[in-house]
Amino acid sequence: MDVGTNGIDITLAAVDSVHIELEDGGALDVPTSEFEATERGLSVGLRFLPWHRVRRYGWALASSVEVADADPAGRTGPRVRIVFDDDSPAGEEHVVSADRFEAGPWMVSVLLDDVVHAEAARADRRRVFVPWHRVREYERIPAPERTRDLDGVWAPPRPDSRDTGRS
């Protein structure tokens, strides 16, 4: 098992192929046995693609992975907001749980829920790797402060209960 710096399993064992999007608009689907990410780019069989030619790459994970909370806005832990450069003025923005994000020396890695089936609390996921030249920005969003209510359940603070510093 290959584990990233934040503990995310990044093994390709259950994946058949890797989808690579190129800067020129082309795309490749290659078997995992012929794929390797290196310091300078992607090795695909006998072919080598330097990072400046790669827009992103990734793979779909097993269909309908169970999720504890189908609504990412309802998660209470730390999050990361990331904006990928997709050649649009606004970029492609995602907000993910911090444990689904990893910044590496050559790229960032994000675990995305493509299709969320809220009623069944399941999602179709994909792992996306984006080289740094295609990352516009990312922002770490700390977990909101929480307190225990009268029943001992953790709850976010009420907006009207904050101390304004006035006497």
Side-chain angles (χ1 to χ4, degrees):
M1 174 169 73
D2 190 5
V3 178
T5 57
N6 64 0
I8 299 175
D9 177 10
I10 57 174
T11 185
L12 292 173
V15 178
D16 300 15
S17 65
V18 177
H19 180 74
I20 303 169
E21 295 177 23
L22 303 173
E23 287 291 345
D24 64 5
L28 301 169
D29 286 305
V30 297
T32 56
S33 61
E34 297 181 16
F35 172 84
E36 182 180 4
T38 70
E39 178 179 342
R40 303 200 188 282
L42 302 178
S43 179
V44 180
L46 299 175
R47 185 176 178 187
F48 184 80
L49 303 167
W51 283 123
H52 70 273
R53 293 205 44 229
V54 178
R55 180 179 300 244
R56 69 174 64 187
Y57 71 93
W59 51 82
L61 298 174
S63 182
S64 294
V65 178
E66 269 191 49
V67 291
D69 182 7
D71 180 15
R75 295 190 184 119
T76 58
R79 293 172 293 147
V80 175
R81 183 185 68 82
I82 186 162
V83 181
F84 299 136
D85 186 1
D86 65 351
D87 296 327
S88 71
E92 178 185 341
E93 182 175 322
H94 298 278
V95 178
V96 297
S97 179
D99 62 353
R100 293 179 175 203
F101 170 84
E102 184 173 3
W106 313 300
M107 70 200 112
V108 297
S109 168
V110 182
L111 183 62
L112 298 175
D113 290 339
D114 280 340
V115 179
V116 176
H117 312 285
E119 66 283 349
R122 299 175 76 71
D124 296 333
R125 290 189 175 151
R126 67 186 162 115
R127 178 68 136 184
V128 177
F129 297 83
V130 179
W132 280 111
H133 72 275
R134 277 294 184 168
V135 176
R136 286 193 184 171
E137 65 183 23
Y138 76 90
E139 170 187 18
R140 295 188 185 275
I141 303 168
E145 296 176 25
R146 299 183 315 164
T147 58
R148 289 188 188 264
D149 64 12
L150 295 175
D151 296 328
V153 177
W154 285 104
R158 293 181 7 208
D160 61 342
S161 68
R162 294 193 185 258
D163 181 15
T164 60
R166 296 184 205 158
S167 309

